[in-house]
Amino acid sequence: MEWIVYGFLFLGVVFNLIGNLGVLIFPDVYTRLQASSTCTTTSVISVFIAAMTAAGLSAVTGKIFVIALFFFVSSPVAAHIIARYAWNKEIIPWRRTGGTVKTEEEKNE
Amino acid sequence: MNVITKWRFVRILLTTGSLFIGWILFSGNFVPASLIIGLCFSFAVAVLTYGIFIDEKEADRKGLLPRFHILFFYLIYLLIKMYLASFKVLFNVVRGHINPRVVHFRTKLKSDLARVILTNSITLTPGTITLSIDDDHLVVHWLDSKTTHSKYAGLLIKGTMEKMLKRTFI
């Protein structure tokens, strides 16, 4: 049982680290949003699962389940609103043209 | 007592019930004083907000959600798919190799609630974000695009999710 808790907490840490690394690496608003919002969602859900496993069958598990359900609804809506604002502002998505990923500064040079 | 007044009482009762369940979950004890205070306050909040919680024209809510138990399996399927897609995004970030595209496709779902659930699950799955939805026309940003053919892209992105939702909402 303890190993499941440790495994999910480790997964949460890894997803959060890589997601935030993606924000630094990726080129434009859409891809950065992909890395930040969606990877972070998975990490938070991992932490919730770890907490529910650690708490066992008690009232705390119900509380965490309700919070997780709320997070399931609110997190995609927040990501969608940012993405829709960028789309309606007519920001053109970055597209791959061959070679490695380039940042804004490298493209301007 | 006409039917509108009756429906109003039912709505207040349903709102009070769901608020009271939340109170019990978050207070976590069964002392009578706590239960009475919770009941009073959930009734007070219910009288103020029953119009927002259950709309006046939603008397057919059971018709909107006919097979609720499939949604439970849907949640488990969504969790598994989230983890699989998360590992894909993780490798994309580590390798630095991405191929982002914007794809357009249509959905066969009819009701608004089903469409909201479908777009929310597309956004929740790492690697895809719904940019815009207009009736049944979805615009999706895809981080690691395999194809630009709209029907095949729709099959890859929504795939089983749409089938399960179609079975839930008829």
Side-chain angles (χ1 to χ4, degrees):
Chain A
M1 209 60 157
E2 274 194 359
W3 287 106
I4 300 174
V5 177
Y6 290 147
F8 273 109
L9 280 178
F10 179 72
L11 273 183
V13 171
V14 166
F15 282 135
N16 214 336
L17 267 180
I18 300 292
N20 285 323
L21 189 69
V23 176
L24 299 176
I25 288 175
F26 282 167
D28 76 331
V29 56
Y30 300 105
T31 42
R32 280 181 180 168
L33 195 60
Q34 296 266 15
S36 71
S37 88
T38 52
C39 261
T40 314
T41 307
T42 317
S43 93
V44 172
I45 295 289
S46 305
V47 173
F48 280 152
I49 291 175
M52 277 161 87
T53 320
L57 264 181
S58 62
V60 181
T61 312
K63 286 179 205 176
I64 298 168
F65 186 71
V66 171
I67 297 169
L69 272 187
F70 177 73
F71 195 78
F72 254 119
V73 176
S74 71
S75 159
V77 170
H80 168 69
I81 286 171
I82 299 172
R84 200 175 74 155
Y85 181 75
W87 181 249
N88 287 343
K89 273 278 176 189
E90 296 168 18
I91 297 172
I92 298 166
W94 179 88
R95 269 169 71 170
R96 183 176 189 78
T97 49
T100 52
V101 176
K102 284 182 178 175
T103 56
E104 277 302 318
E105 294 84 42
E106 282 171 339
K107 262 189 281 183
N108 291 337
E109 279 169 8
Chain B
M1 190 192 278
N2 64 0
V3 69
I4 291 175
T5 323
K6 247 187 221 169
W7 173 229
R8 189 170 289 148
F9 275 116
V10 169
R11 279 191 289 165
I12 290 176
L13 268 182
L14 282 176
T15 317
T16 312
S18 29
L19 283 172
F20 192 53
I21 290 171
W23 173 273
I24 290 174
L25 261 179
F26 278 91
S27 71
N29 59 3
F30 293 94
V31 185
S34 154
L35 289 183
I36 291 167
I37 290 172
L39 200 60
C40 291
F41 273 100
S42 39
F43 183 74
V45 173
V47 169
L48 290 174
T49 60
Y50 69 95
I52 305 168
F53 188 64
I54 304 174
D55 205 49
E56 197 181 354
K57 296 187 177 74
E58 268 190 43
D60 57 343
R61 178 168 270 200
K62 198 160 183 302
L64 283 172
L65 258 179
R67 270 167 279 181
F68 202 79
H69 56 277
I70 298 178
L71 273 183
F72 179 71
F73 295 108
Y74 180 72
L75 203 66
I76 293 171
Y77 172 76
L78 192 65
L79 263 180
I80 295 169
K81 200 172 166 162
M82 255 175 71
Y83 273 100
L84 291 180
S86 261
F87 278 110
K88 271 183 203 163
V89 173
L90 206 141
F91 285 123
N92 281 332
V93 173
V94 171
R95 282 167 60 219
H97 182 281
I98 50 170
N99 182 22
R101 283 293 171 95
V102 174
V103 288
H104 299 242
F105 53 84
R106 286 180 179 282
T107 174
K108 287 174 201 159
L109 298 171
K110 294 286 187 290
S111 78
D112 282 351
L113 194 58
R115 280 173 188 165
V116 167
I117 292 177
L118 179 71
T119 44
N120 251 2
S121 2
I122 286 174
T123 312
L124 202 60
T125 317
T128 46
I129 282 188
T130 316
L131 296 179
S132 156
I133 176 167
D134 181 18
D135 270 353
D136 62 342
H137 178 227
L138 293 164
V139 184
V140 171
H141 185 267
W142 196 0
L143 187 63
D144 195 17
S145 164
K146 305 267 193 309
T147 172
T148 50
H149 186 277
S150 72
K151 196 178 173 189
Y152 185 51
L155 204 71
L156 281 181
I157 289 175
K158 52 192 176 155
T160 322
M161 292 198 285
E162 192 187 35
K163 266 183 211 160
M164 289 177 89
L165 283 177
K166 209 166 159 45
R167 234 188 282 164
T168 314
F169 290 92
I170 302 182

